[in-house]
Amino acid sequence: MLALATCLLVGLPADAPAQGQRQDRTDGAPALRIDTIVEPLEHPWSIAFLPDGRQLVTERPGRLRLIDDGVLSAPIDGVPPVMAESQGGLFDVLLHPDFARTGELFLSYAHGTADRNAVRVLRARLQGDALVEARVIFTAVPWKDTPVHFGGRLALLPDDTLLLSIGDGFDYRESAQRLDSHLGKLVRLTFDGQAPADNPFIGREGALPELYSIGHRNPQGLAVDAADGTVWSHEHGPAGGDEINRIVAGGNYGWPVATTGRDYSGAAISPFSRRDGMIDPLVEWTPSIAPGGLAIGSGPLFPELDGALLVAALKSRELLQVPRDALDDGDRGSLVLDGIGRLRDVRIAPDGALWLSVDAEAGRVVRAVPAN
């Protein structure tokens, strides 16, 4: 049985263990208490909260597990084989909106081999300790031969359709502008994996019907505001040029034609940082912070975060808050917490606590609440 470990945090060294001493937050807000819920987990990726108080967590090598009062289950049966290589593997878990009645959920994952792979979405029903009635509802096209830049984040829209983020595959960045490819896109799907009839590119010659927005690099943050349906996304730039975007149907977000990022060699990717007909990012980070997860602040525990965009970062190992009323000013955010490792995901629990997945070979899921 895994014990629940507790620490008080903020501003600990990047490689500090979970058991640190209490420190005040840098913005003057009350200190936080960080509880390690379960460990170790191998590269935990996503967290979902079940109606009965348990949680689901994905591990990138291909395991889906339940957390029940701090106890981690054995891997759930019925998860499909994944391509667990480099950045590939099992990604997001998202509950069907009628999960309490049906037990249905969606998984996104890398499918195939190193030489021929794509992002897939599975729909299945959780029954006890197994997934049953599993069926693949979507596979991105075309196949690619790179084990990186999958995207893989899922989100629910208010009209009961799905959004899925798909990366550009790294070596195929020009595909982000091609309408006959899912690479470098957000796609919108019905729960059966079909293209809704009102998708924005339907009717465009040569365009795939699932396309929702184009011109993305590696979008791994996706959040929908429950109050007004606004879609927010963030994505990895190359050496700099990480972005937050407000997503509109049919929008072109520029990659790789317009970007402030530079190639890893230092060479310019494009002469254009802005381009007519392409939507500018609201926030950019250079140097890169490598944003991994995105949530919208809500709930009673952190009123100061209400409505803010919460950005979990891998490279900079921090959780940032970006107030939405500061987005038009390019505000890059202020620190909420750091010092617990590479942050892959951030979620708001039903009680308002912040849950985060810490990405490592021996990673963990942690919970943050005000220290008092």
Side-chain angles (χ1 to χ4, degrees), residues 39-262:
E39 65 177 343
L41 292 160
E42 189 174 0
H43 296 290
W45 214 92
S46 177
I47 305 162
F49 301 97
L50 302 188
D52 63 6
R54 296 179 299 167
Q55 300 82 34
L56 285 168
V57 60
T58 61
E59 292 177 279
R60 188 158 50 80
R63 293 182 288 272
L64 177 66
R65 296 177 184 261
L66 280 163
I67 303 172
D68 187 354
D69 196 23
V71 178
L72 189 66
S73 76
I76 290 172
D77 291 333
V79 174
V82 306
M83 193 207 81
E85 182 172 329
S86 186
Q87 295 174 3
L90 181 60
F91 303 132
D92 218 347
V93 54
L94 178 70
L95 302 187
H96 188 286
D98 202 16
F99 177 89
R101 183 179 66 85
T102 68
E104 286 193 302
L105 54 77
F106 302 93
L107 296 175
S108 59
Y109 59 100
H111 166 75
T113 66
D115 296 330
R116 190 174 184 268
N117 61 76
V119 174
R120 270 192 167 173
V121 178
L122 184 88
R123 180 176 176 178
R125 185 164 60 87
L126 179 64
Q127 182 175 286
D129 58 0
L131 295 182
V132 299
E133 301 171 13
R135 58 199 184 278
V136 174
I137 63 169
F138 176 78
T139 303
V141 296
W143 298 98
K144 62 184 184 67
D145 59 1
T146 56
V148 292
H149 287 204
F150 290 95
R153 191 67 71 179
L154 291 163
L156 280 173
L157 289 173
D159 62 358
D160 284 346
T161 57
L162 286 174
L163 283 182
L164 167 69
S165 70
I166 303 173
D168 68 353
F170 190 80
D171 287 343
Y172 302 96
R173 63 193 186 194
E174 291 79 10
S175 294
Q177 293 293 323
R178 294 176 60 102
L179 299 185
D180 61 352
S181 170
H182 290 130
L183 298 177
K185 311 296 195 304
L186 298 186
V187 300
R188 176 171 171 251
L189 309 167
T190 69
F191 291 161
D192 292 321
Q194 303 302 305
D198 59 346
N199 266 359
F201 290 92
I202 286 180
R204 292 274 295 272
E205 184 177 356
L208 294 172
E210 299 87 4
L211 301 186
Y212 191 75
S213 64
I214 72 172
H216 301 285
R217 186 173 181 267
N218 189 19
Q220 291 189 330
L222 200 54
V224 179
D225 192 325
D228 60 14
T230 302
V231 179
W232 300 93
S233 178
H234 63 49
E235 61 187 74
H236 295 259
D242 299 341
E243 300 179 357
I244 289 180
N245 291 295
R246 182 189 292 112
I247 302 299
V248 296
N252 184 340
Y253 290 84
W255 178 258
V257 175
T259 177
T260 61
R262 301 185 72 84

Side-chain angles (χ1 to χ4, degrees), residues 10 20 139 153 260 272 274 326 357 364:
V10 171
T139 303
R153 191 67 71 179
T260 61
F272 306 107
R274 303 289 184 267
S357 61
R364 60 194 187 276

Side-chain angles (χ1 to χ4, degrees), residues 25 32 298-305 349 351-354 367-370 372:
R25 282 170 50 186
L32 301 177
S298 63
L301 292 185
F302 296 98
E304 72 275 21
L305 301 180
D351 65 359
L354 303 177
R367 175 180 182 265
V369 296
N372 59 358

